[in-house]
């Protein structure tokens, strides 16, 4: 993509160099030629002649001539030779890097398209109204003024703004933020996520007031039914013959069966209340070389004595992972990619049976899971050490 867009990026760089007066002599000559062509009505022939000249130079370059027609000198970047044999971790890192660059590129393109869409769809009426008035003014001028005068005025405006006004605004950002109307309109245009945040901020203020009334209403209803609550509770209690433990055990089942049967654990080993539904994550076992064993998607649970990972793939239970809490030598928060912002969404667990720590990554509720696992780990290890002493 970078190589394919090189002609366009070079053209934009040269235009920016002309506007910034990177080369004073080149910009001055271009300004004089442009203004003279506009004054005599030769603007369109001039642009056509430049296009023919560019194609002619490209033909000579294709024939082997060394011609460099650029205001900004091109800097040759060192070429990195691609490795032929990449490890699985290097391939995984490469995929993430490419995905991040693609996400940034398409994110910028989406922001530009959303701004144009919001401009033409009257999402921000105060901004679209300026465009509407400008179009009416241009339409009326085109009906009464000769096209030669219109072309002359438009050409002089474009040349003055490109060579002089933009140069002053770039050197004085305060003047640009105050008087550069196109720049102000473009900055004021909002993308869809920004509009959503603004609407949410407005709605949240209204919701706070409504929540106050709802809260007092709930408190009043609670006081009304408090006297009859005990009778309702007795009437809706569990059927006779079912103990409390048997009733709660029904909650601790997974999609593949009973919890203790899947992980081959005693029946009293059940997920803690904080991990009753588990945490969706992916297990990264860096000791493995095969892609199917390197990364597994599934759900992580923590019981009173074990850390259990249930693989989402159907088949043998060997895909699951059971780690005894007392066997863990270290547990800490982990960031899979150091280049990404934030504190990451992973947990690293070290055991004597693994050379590298096991990574439970892509956890949306990472901090909640880490606090639950760490507190249970400290509780079990403390109890074990006290019993041994």
């Amino acid at each position: 993509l970078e190589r394919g867009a090189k002609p366009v990026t070079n053209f934009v760089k040269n235009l920016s160099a002309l506007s910034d007066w990177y080369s004073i002599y080149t910009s001055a000559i271009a300004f004089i030629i442009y203004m003279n062509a506009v004054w005599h009505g030769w603007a369109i022939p001039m642009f056509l002649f430049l296009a023919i000249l560019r194609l002619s130079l490209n033909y000579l370059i294709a024939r082997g001539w060394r011609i460099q027609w650029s205001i900004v000198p091109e800097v040759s970047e060192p070429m990195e030779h691609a490795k032929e044999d990449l490890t699985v971790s290097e391939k995984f890192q490469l995929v993430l890097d490419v995905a991040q660059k693609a996400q940034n590129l398409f994110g910028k393109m989406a922001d530009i398209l959303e701004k144009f869409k919001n401009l033409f769809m009257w999402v921000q009426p105060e901004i679209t109204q300026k465009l509407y008035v400008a179009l009416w003014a241009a339409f009326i001028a085109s009906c009464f003024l000769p096209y030669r005068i219109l072309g002359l005025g438009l050409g002089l405006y474009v040349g003055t703004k490109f060579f002089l006004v933009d140069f002053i605004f770039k050197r004085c950002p305060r003047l640009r933020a105050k008087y550069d109307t196109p720049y102000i309109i473009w900055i004021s245009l909002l993308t869809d996520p920004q509009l959503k945040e603004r609407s949410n901020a407005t709605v949240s203020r209204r919701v706070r007031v409504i929540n106050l009334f709802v809260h007092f209403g709930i408190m009043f209803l609670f006081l009304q039914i408090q006297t009859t609550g005990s009778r309702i509770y007795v009437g809706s209690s569990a059927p006779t013959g079912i103990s409390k433990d048997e009733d709660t055990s029904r909650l601790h089942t997974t999609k593949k069966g009973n919890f203790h049967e899947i992980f081959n654990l005693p029946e009293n080993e059940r997920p803690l209340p904080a991990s009753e539904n588990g945490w969706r994550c992916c297990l990264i076992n860096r000791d493995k070389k095969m892609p199917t064993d390197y990364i597994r998607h599934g759900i992580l649970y923590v019981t009173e004595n074990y850390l259990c990972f249930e693989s989402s793939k159907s088949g043998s239970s060997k895909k699951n992972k059971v780690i005894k809490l007392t066997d863990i030598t270290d547990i800490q928060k982990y960031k899979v990619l150091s280049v990404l912002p934030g504190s990451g969404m992973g947990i690293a667990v070290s055991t004597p049976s693994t050379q590298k720590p096991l990574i439970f990554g892509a956890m949306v509720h990472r901090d909640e899971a880490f606090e639950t696992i760490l507190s249970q780990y400290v509780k079990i290890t403390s109890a074990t050490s006290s019993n041994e002493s």
Side-chain angles (χ1 to χ4, degrees), residues 86-95 286 294 356:
L86 296 177
T87 61
V88 176
S89 59
E90 290 175 342
K91 292 180 180 179
F92 183 68
Q93 179 71 31
L94 180 61
V95 171
R286 294 183 293 177
Y294 184 79
K356 298 179 180 179

Side-chain angles (χ1 to χ4, degrees), residues 119-120 122 124-138 177-186 188-189:
L119 174 64
F120 293 117
W122 293 84
Q124 296 174 262
E126 66 280 1
I127 297 178
T128 309
Q129 186 178 3
K130 298 179 181 179
L131 175 64
Y132 190 71
V133 173
L135 290 176
W136 270 110
K178 191 174 182 180
Y179 297 107
D180 193 356
T181 303
Y183 174 78
I184 295 172
I185 291 177
W186 182 256
S188 302
L189 283 172

Side-chain angles (χ1 to χ4, degrees), residues 69-216:
W69 188 28
S70 177
I71 302 175
V72 182
E74 296 184 5
V75 180
S76 59
E77 299 180 356
M79 296 294 295
E80 296 182 358
H81 298 284
K83 298 180 180 179
E84 296 181 357
D85 297 330
L86 296 177
T87 61
V88 176
S89 59
E90 290 175 342
K91 292 180 180 179
F92 183 68
Q93 179 71 31
L94 180 61
V95 171
L96 291 178
D97 292 341
V98 174
Q100 183 182 6
K101 290 182 179 180
Q103 182 180 6
N104 294 336
L105 175 62
F106 288 111
K108 293 179 182 178
M109 295 173 60
D111 291 341
I112 295 173
L113 293 176
E114 287 175 359
K115 285 190 175 185
F116 278 114
K117 184 260 295 182
N118 294 333
L119 174 64
F120 293 117
M121 295 303 296
W122 293 84
V123 177
Q124 296 174 262
E126 66 280 1
I127 297 178
T128 309
Q129 186 178 3
K130 298 179 181 179
L131 175 64
Y132 190 71
V133 173
L135 290 176
W136 270 110
F139 171 72
I140 295 173
S142 66
C143 293
F144 294 98
L145 297 178
Y147 284 100
R148 180 178 177 83
I149 297 178
L150 285 177
L152 177 62
L154 181 61
L156 292 177
Y157 168 77
V158 172
T160 304
K161 179 172 175 53
F162 181 79
F163 286 98
L164 301 178
V165 177
D166 286 347
F167 175 77
I168 296 174
F169 282 155
K170 289 178 181 179
R171 295 297 183 274
C172 303
R174 293 184 179 180
L175 291 177
R176 186 177 191 181
K178 191 174 182 180
Y179 297 107
D180 193 356
T181 303
Y183 174 78
I184 295 172
I185 291 177
W186 182 256
I187 294 299
S188 302
L189 283 172
L190 302 178
T191 60
D192 289 347
Q194 292 173 341
L195 288 171
K196 187 176 181 180
E197 291 179 2
R198 175 182 289 186
S199 62
N200 290 339
T202 305
V203 172
S204 63
R205 288 193 294 267
R206 300 176 182 176
V207 171
R208 290 174 187 171
V209 179
I210 297 175
N211 285 339
L212 289 176
F213 289 102
V214 173
H215 177 71
F216 286 115

